Amino acid sequence: MTTATLSRKSFLQITAGALAGAAFLNMPHMAFANKAKAQSCTFADLPDAVSLAQRSELIQMSYNKIKESVATIQNSRLRQMTMDIIKNPNPTFMRQYLNNAAAKTAVYNKLVSLKLIDPAKTSLANFLPPYDGQTPQPFYSAPGSGYGSHHAYPGGLATHTAANLSISEGIYDTYINLFNSKISRDIVISAQALHDLAKPLVFQWQNDQSSLKEYTIANTGAHHIFSIAEVIYRGFPVEEIVAQACAHQTPGSTNEEQTVVGFLTAAAIIAGKDAKTYGLVTANNTLPSPQKQEGYITSLGDHDYVLSGPACQKTVKLLQKIMTEDYHMQASDLNGAQFNKVRNYIGAQVSMMYVNSLSSEADGEKLIRQLVSSLIIK
């Protein structure tokens, strides 16, 4: 693959005008990635997903931000346990089911009996993602979500998690400085860093360079339940596990609390544990009392998707238009590997958030076309 770093001089030379160059060079990167440089690539040499994430400065800076945040955890055991997963997200709970169809069937049937799996939505065959005992992919190369949602490109998990950590750190600082709240920063950082730890398992990259389809457990995306199952399986403290479980739902009402109880119950069963014995759920099927604020902060910090989901979806549609008109891509290619490599490359180099922000400019589509032509050389 032939790539060229887009320095200030070279970028201005290859774009159609100084306006596009200025817009690109002043990308509103996150503070930890404000020095990230994008690279150009020929259309014929676009890399596969994992290689792309490994070579992207934006993705690697985001990944480093995650590790830097985790390194600030004061409790040495929690810090090490959290960092171990960030560096190697091997879903160790899956080892129980490796070449063990009977165990998989038994757990699936138990979840169905407790109405934590709807067999009409998630079959036994689709209950667990493929796993051969090895780490499916690095943490930094997974997408931030399913291929139709937020940060859906190689390394999207790194940018999503890094953004969420920055947001959570800000919320923590606000609540401490303004309200003098008694909150564990360690728990907030660990829970936020690991809230999507199972995405490298659930969203494995396929031959067409899209990610594996996700199924539902306990009325939420399976990655959430598997992420909780992993920290249970590894013996994380109750406070971290409960806070992490709240990423998809805060226990603000009785019904909402029962939803979180469902997450924890399903995850414990999958991890081969009992949620009540572990202390995650009380004998009355409630969360441990008194409830702590760390879970709420984890949930607030995970709301990046409110913006990044639509941003990604709108950007993909616009890129399809540009690839059809400027690169003469056929309609049949827009749902296959050729277009997927294009959207993956642009997402990992500059983020879908940045491209979407350009679209709000008066001449946004023109700027995006210029950006695409500078990143992907015909």
Side-chain angles (χ1 to χ4, degrees), residues 133-155:
Q134 304 299 313
T135 305
Q137 64 178 312
F139 187 95
Y140 62 73
S141 68
S145 67
Y147 214 49
S149 188
H150 57 283
H151 301 286
Y153 50 84

Side-chain angles (χ1 to χ4, degrees), residues 48-67:
D48 63 24
V50 176
S51 297
L52 172 54
Q54 186 177 33
R55 300 173 189 178
S56 165
E57 287 197 18
L58 172 62
I59 301 310
Q60 291 305 314
M61 286 185 177
S62 298
Y63 183 52
N64 286 336
K65 157 62 184 175
I66 297 168
K67 291 186 287 186

